[in-house]
């Protein structure tokens, strides 16, 4: 039910699009800056080093009627904008995988109870999801930040236990953390790609009772319900 717009950074920089016209912002994955080291940070700097854009993003995040989702490179980018996002002060950076290589596979994650509006009603769900990143390891500035930042998703192994070891934990993130939310739940970031498996046929296997849509479509259904 959303009206989706494909907005490039150049559109925002040139004034062809304005964040004030939107309710939701999805910063997507997809090899920002050729996926050179810390590509998400390069994306964030294009905002932070432009005073007008930085003010526009800060105003967007401050509006109580907006929501945001960052996936993969977009997750890295939003984490670097945490100073502009209410309730995101404890978010980590996302650094190079411990494996020192790009990791692309299906992984199992568990949805953790959190304030995230996108994951409302999904806590306890254990669902396969696509991972596709070279820099997905959550690195917190301090131990107390890991405790303060609301975890939304974490890697689990085939037994359903917290995944601390490779390859069930593909990047080495502490406590398997791969998704977080702001304290008010309006901004959510995650390294996996739920949008790549929003339909059951995109899964390598799925229970017949799922029907056409996979459980990940619920993120977008939840967003729509919240906006309404």
């Amino acid at each position: 039910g959303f009206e989706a717009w494909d907005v490039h950074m150049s559109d925002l920089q040139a004034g062809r699009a304005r964040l004030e016209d939107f309710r939701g912002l999805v910063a997507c994955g997809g090899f920002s800056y050729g996926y050179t080291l810390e590509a998400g940070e390069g994306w964030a700097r294009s905002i932070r080093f432009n005073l007008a854009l930085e003010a526009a993003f800060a105003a967007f995040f401050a509006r109580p009627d907006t929501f945001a989702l960052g996936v993969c490179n977009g997750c890295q980018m939003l984490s670097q904008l945490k100073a502009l996002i209410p309730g995101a002060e404890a978010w980590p950076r996302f650094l190079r995988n411990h494996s020192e290589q790009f990791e692309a596979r299906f992984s199992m994650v568990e949805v953790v109870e959190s304030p995230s509006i996108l994951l409302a009603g999904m806590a306890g769900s254990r669902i396969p999801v696509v991972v596709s990143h070279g820099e997905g390891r959550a690195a917190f500035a301090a131990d107390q930040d890991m405790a303060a930042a609301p975890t939304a998703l974490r890697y689990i192994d085939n037994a359903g236990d917290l995944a601390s070891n490779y390859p069930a934990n593909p990047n080495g993130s502490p406590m398997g953390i791969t998704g977080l939310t702001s304290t008010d739940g309006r901004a959510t970031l995650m390294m996996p790609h739920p949008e790549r498996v929003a339909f059951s046929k995109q899964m390598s296997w799925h229970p017949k009772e799922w029907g056409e849509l996979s459980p990940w479509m619920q993120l977008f259904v939840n967003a729509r319900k919240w906006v309404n």
Side-chain angles (χ1 to χ4, degrees):
F2 281 115
E3 182 179 334
W5 289 72
D6 187 8
V7 177
H8 291 245
M9 288 302 300
S10 57
D11 294 327
L12 295 174
Q13 291 162 349
R16 292 188 296 270
R18 303 180 306 170
L19 289 175
E20 62 193 65
D21 295 330
F22 299 97
R23 295 282 303 276
L25 180 156
V26 178
C28 57
F31 297 93
S32 168
Y33 288 82
Y35 213 86
T36 54
L37 288 177
E38 299 198 49
E41 182 161 349
W43 187 358
R45 286 177 179 175
S46 70
I47 297 166
R48 295 189 350 245
F49 294 170
N50 182 316
L51 293 179
L53 266 187
E54 184 179 54
F57 272 82
F60 176 87
F61 293 128
R63 282 169 44 199
D65 66 338
T66 62
F67 70 92
L69 169 65
V71 172
C72 201
N73 277 163
C75 168
Q76 297 165 341
M77 185 273 272
L78 283 188
S79 75
Q80 294 295 313
L81 297 182
K82 63 182 181 180
L84 308 180
I85 303 173
E89 298 82 6
W91 279 358
R93 295 174 64 196
F94 290 87
L95 305 181
R96 191 166 178 81
N97 300 340
H98 273 323
S99 66
E100 294 290 326
Q101 63 185 9
F102 189 87
E103 301 289 345
R105 64 165 68 87
F106 268 110
S107 290
M108 283 292 292
V109 296
E110 180 178 40
V111 181
V112 180
E113 185 68 49
S114 78
S116 173
I117 64 165
L118 299 180
L119 296 168
M122 296 179 66
S125 300
R126 296 173 173 179
I127 321 170
V129 69
V130 169
V131 297
S132 185
H133 59 257
E135 297 176 338
R137 176 170 54 89
F140 293 88
D143 289 343
Q144 55 264 36
D145 286 343
M146 185 165 64
T151 297
L153 293 176
R154 63 180 185 177
Y155 295 113
I156 57 173
D157 61 22
N158 289 340
D161 298 324
L162 175 67
S164 299
N165 300 319
Y166 182 88
N169 182 328
N171 49 48
S173 288
M175 301 300 293
I177 294 171
T178 190
L180 303 107
T181 185
S182 57
T183 53
D184 66 1
R186 291 190 299 111
T188 302
L189 47 73
M190 59 184 69
M191 285 307 299
H193 286 269
E195 81 287 353
R196 294 191 189 179
V197 281
F199 295 92
S200 296
K201 64 183 179 183
Q202 295 171 300
M203 295 280 189
S204 57
W205 175 89
H206 66 85
K208 290 182 179 180
E209 59 266 24
W210 277 8
E212 180 184 2
L213 304 179
S214 93
W216 291 117
M217 186 62 81
Q218 191 63 38
L219 272 74
F220 309 104
V221 172
N222 283 341
R224 185 64 194 179
K225 287 179 179 177
W226 184 83
V227 165
N228 286 346

